[in-house]
Amino acid sequence: MRRQSHLPTLNEHDYFILPESVGRYWDFPEHDVRRSAGALHTFSIHYLAEGRGWLETEHEKIALGKGDAFLYFPLDAQRYYSDSEEPWTVLWTHFYGHTLKDYLLERGFRRSSVWTVRQGKGLEQALTELLEEAEEHAFLRPTRLSVLTFAVLAEFVAQAEPKSAGKAPEAPDKITPLLPLMQAAACKPFDLDYWAAQAGVSTYYFCKLFKKTTRMTPMTFITLCRLQMSKQWLLEKQELTVREIAAEAGYPSTSYFNKRFLEQEGMTPTEYRELYRRE
């Protein structure tokens, strides 16, 4: 089965990114695409939500499964197709923008054709929302289309890593369920051993998985959570002093709290309170 929406290409526009088409194919084992080099002038992202398929390059044939994605640049030769016995559910979009090539090259997205998406739900949701917008409003809301297409690209850039044949996945799902719990407990003293035990791994492997999943260290995550809460309290709890808020946020030392706040926000807690108290 197929859902797809094709949009006119806007040659004159001021948007960073726009979609040319977007779709979702499922229970469609006949899905088979071969395009010669130079045929398409758009970028494209395809994401496998279920099933299996194949991508062929000049040098190899690559098996694709759930959570894999592939990215094509404009003018690339393209060869990909669904597995006939276990057809894929694939969500895709073709898109364009004047500075997209530089944006992707700067982030290393030319070094591989096939990628593994660590947390695919966000990318799947972004593609689905883009498809629904295109189906309902076509190109009548270009700003909304641009925002939704960038959400697809941002999810892909944040979550994709080159697919390595034969390499076992490292199960980032050990970390994701813990993030809300760590956020809720962020203002308490941070115990790395405790959280590693909750994930069922060593502290070394916990830090490795955490960095892989969130692109930050556990302590950086805790610091951001603490600062988020302290910013809220600075405005909502006017009766509390900065010293008291620092203590509530997990910083017994007010001077250290001020230092971290200044490093992250570019101003002191007192300056932040004064600047936003009437917002």
Side-chain angles (χ1 to χ4, degrees), residues 2-242:
R2 290 177 284 180
R3 286 176 61 191
Q4 55 189 332
S5 184
H6 294 264
L7 305 165
T9 300
L10 304 181
N11 294 319
E12 299 294 331
H13 65 88
D14 295 322
Y15 297 101
F16 173 68
I17 187 172
L18 283 169
E20 183 275 332
S21 55
V22 56
R24 179 187 183 104
Y25 289 0
W26 70 103
D27 293 335
F28 183 47
E30 300 84 7
H31 189 192
D32 189 323
V33 174
R34 185 193 300 270
R35 297 187 178 103
S36 60
L40 283 185
H41 293 265
T42 55
F43 297 84
S44 65
I45 290 173
H46 292 68
Y47 172 70
L48 274 68
E50 297 289 346
R52 293 171 52 81
W54 305 88
L55 182 144
E56 294 184 10
T57 70
E58 184 179 353
H59 306 290
E60 60 182 334
K61 178 179 178 180
I62 305 170
L64 304 173
K66 179 179 179 179
D68 288 337
F70 50 97
L71 167 70
Y72 283 121
F73 275 61
L75 310 181
D76 281 352
Q78 301 182 9
R79 179 72 178 114
Y80 55 89
Y81 48 95
S82 175
D83 184 82
S84 59
E85 296 183 359
E86 192 179 345
W88 61 21
T89 294
V90 62
L91 295 92
W92 53 267
T93 182
H94 292 261
F95 54 96
Y96 58 97
H98 301 307
T99 59
L100 283 176
K101 183 176 181 179
D102 289 341
Y103 176 85
L104 288 165
L105 290 177
E106 288 171 1
R107 290 157 178 78
F109 281 93
R110 198 47 157 160
R111 66 186 188 274
S112 175
S113 298
V114 180
W115 304 78
T116 295
V117 180
R118 291 185 298 273
Q119 299 178 52
K121 287 297 184 183
L123 180 57
E124 183 175 354
Q125 180 179 344
L127 282 161
T128 300
E129 290 177 356
L130 176 59
L131 176 58
E132 291 171 347
E133 172 67 23
E135 287 176 330
E136 184 172 354
H137 298 288
F139 64 97
L140 298 180
R141 305 200 302 184
T143 300
R144 181 64 175 161
L145 284 174
S146 181
V147 168
L148 292 173
T149 311
F150 182 71
V152 171
L153 183 62
E155 282 288 342
F156 177 77
V157 167
Q159 298 297 336
E161 60 184 19
K163 181 178 175 66
S164 177
K167 182 181 177 181
E170 292 198 75
D173 58 331
K174 289 182 177 291
I175 301 300
T176 303
L178 294 179
L179 296 179
L181 302 177
M182 293 178 67
Q183 184 179 39
C187 295
K188 299 177 182 178
F190 179 64
D191 186 341
L192 179 60
D193 291 335
Y194 170 81
W195 291 110
Q198 297 305 301
V201 297
S202 67
T203 55
Y204 169 80
Y205 195 53
F206 177 81
C207 292
K208 183 178 179 180
L209 283 179
F210 200 97
K211 185 71 176 289
K212 188 179 182 68
T213 302
T214 66
R215 301 293 178 93
M216 66 182 78
T217 66
M219 198 62 236
T220 297
F221 176 78
I222 293 298
T223 297
L224 292 176
C225 292
R226 289 175 174 177
L227 291 179
Q228 176 190 358
M229 294 305 301
S230 65
K231 289 172 72 174
Q232 197 80 13
W233 294 334
L234 283 165
L235 302 182
E236 293 181 354
K237 299 183 178 183
Q238 295 287 330
E239 73 279 5
L240 297 183
T241 66
V242 170

Side-chain angles (χ1 to χ4, degrees), residues 227 231 234 257-276:
L227 291 179
K231 289 172 72 174
L234 283 165
F257 171 67
N258 287 338
K259 177 183 177 182
R260 297 313 303 266
F261 198 101
L262 179 61
E263 289 174 348
Q264 192 67 36
E265 303 298 331
M267 64 185 79
T268 67
T270 299
E271 290 170 338
Y272 179 84
R273 172 175 267 177
E274 289 299 319
L275 188 62
Y276 288 100

